[in-house]
Amino acid sequence: MNDATRAGRGGARTLVFAPYLRDAQLQELERRKLSGLDLCGNGVICLPERLLVYRTGNPNRFPDSAPTRFAYRGVTSLVGRVFLCRRSFRTLADIRDAIAERGGRVALSTVSKALKRLESDVIVDRDADGVRLRQPQRLLDQLAESYREPSLTRTVTLRSDCPLNELTGVVKEDGPRLVYSGRSSVGAYAVMGQSDWPVMYTTDVTELLSRWKGRVEETVRFVDVEVRQTDDPNVYFDMRREDTAPYASPVQVYLELMAGDKRDQEVAAQVKQFILKELDSN
């Protein structure tokens, strides 16, 4: 957007008026040399080379509704995550379809609510041409801040007489969903030594063990792999395959590492660069 020309002609200037403007939004208005006021007493008045008045810090008297408050968590976060795979979309249906192509499922109403929050946080821009990601790094920060570990319903530890890639190769498309955890997928995107046994997520441990019958046995000693049952859609979204190995998406890897210790977070920085580089190449 050309801020100088968007202000209008004949001396008229643009004033954004909203129930509440966050500090980040006020900073963005100032950067664009635009003015904005809200109903909570926050605002910026910007007349280039003449006047600058900036006021922030008043709390939001109009809190977000529950559906948009959790735009960076749960199934709604798939809307944000798909923008880290592709920067722009023409319609809400395009976003929904791109999520489906990567193994997720969201309703159009969920896409709409999530976009309102992303737009409010100045993470995406929306105009007549569609929706475009503006701040990928900030989106990653918001996802990391809201990240929660997947809820588990069962966990088993197994010993195997065959390589893990042989086990994963047994599970076909008609079987339960199966993917390495983010931490166990680090090697696909960054350099990090692994000291623990690998962890996998699945939608159905019982069915998985049936397909692995004769190849594995449950044990608490000499463990080769740990399998955790979860229906959390985020862990299976945008899975990547290398041979038969089903790796978690780089975003899932990043979020799991950011929830870890200082060493994990240092490796997360490598994964972040991978995400941004891949995004720029798409």
Side-chain angles (χ1 to χ4, degrees), residues 183 186-187 190-195 257 261 263-265 267-268 270:
R183 288 183 57 85
V186 172
V191 178
M192 179 179 179
Q194 298 284 347
S195 57
L257 290 175
D261 57 24
R263 175 174 171 268
D264 289 342
Q265 292 172 11
V267 179
Q270 297 180 47

Side-chain angles (χ1 to χ4, degrees), residues 15-138:
L15 174 65
V16 175
F17 191 66
Y20 178 67
L21 292 169
R22 296 176 178 80
D23 188 53
Q25 293 172 305
L26 294 173
Q27 292 176 21
E28 181 68 12
L29 288 170
E30 181 185 356
R31 187 188 70 79
R32 297 187 179 206
K33 298 181 173 57
L34 299 175
S35 300
L37 297 173
D38 68 18
L39 297 176
C40 303
N42 304 301
V44 57
I45 302 297
C46 183
L47 300 177
E49 300 180 1
R50 294 170 57 191
L51 177 68
L52 176 63
V53 179
Y54 192 101
R55 182 174 180 180
T56 188
N58 291 321
N60 185 6
R61 294 166 50 198
F62 309 92
D64 296 333
S65 63
T68 57
R69 187 181 307 155
F70 301 112
Y72 305 104
R73 189 185 307 169
V75 67
T76 312
S77 72
L78 295 181
V79 178
R81 291 188 185 214
V82 81
F83 274 96
L84 293 168
C85 303
R86 175 177 155 190
R87 280 185 176 271
S88 62
F89 299 89
R90 289 191 58 82
T91 67
L92 271 62
D94 288 342
I95 297 172
R96 179 199 59 192
D97 294 345
I99 291 171
E101 289 171 3
R102 291 167 173 80
R105 180 181 297 178
V106 295
L108 279 178
S109 58
T110 300
V111 175
S112 178
K113 291 171 183 176
L115 281 183
K116 288 179 181 177
R117 181 56 185 264
L118 294 171
E119 190 175 11
S120 174
D121 289 342
V122 203
I123 288 175
V124 302
D125 281 336
R126 182 155 40 168
D127 56 28
D129 294 326
V131 190
R132 181 174 178 80
L133 178 63
R134 166 178 286 276
Q135 298 191 75
Q137 296 195 47
R138 187 170 179 214

Side-chain angles (χ1 to χ4, degrees), residues 215-272:
R215 294 181 170 88
V216 300
E217 64 176 343
E218 293 189 49
T219 182
V220 294
R221 301 179 59 195
F222 308 111
V223 173
D224 291 312
V225 63
E226 178 178 326
V227 180
R228 301 172 180 176
Q229 181 170 301
T230 181
D231 290 324
D232 189 321
N234 293 315
V235 302
Y236 306 107
F237 181 69
D238 192 32
M239 294 166 47
R240 311 294 178 88
R241 287 194 175 275
E242 184 175 315
D243 295 327
T244 63
Y247 291 118
S249 74
V251 172
Q252 181 65 25
V253 174
Y254 174 79
L255 297 179
E256 290 190 28
L257 290 175
M258 286 298 294
D261 57 24
K262 182 178 179 181
R263 175 174 171 268
D264 289 342
Q265 292 172 11
E266 289 173 351
V267 179
Q270 297 180 47
V271 182
K272 181 179 184 179

Side-chain angles (χ1 to χ4, degrees), residues 1-8 13-14 28 31-34:
M1 179 175 73
N2 187 319
D3 301 321
T5 59
R6 288 291 294 273
R13 299 200 60 82
T14 298
E28 181 68 12
R31 187 188 70 79
R32 297 187 179 206
K33 298 181 173 57
L34 299 175

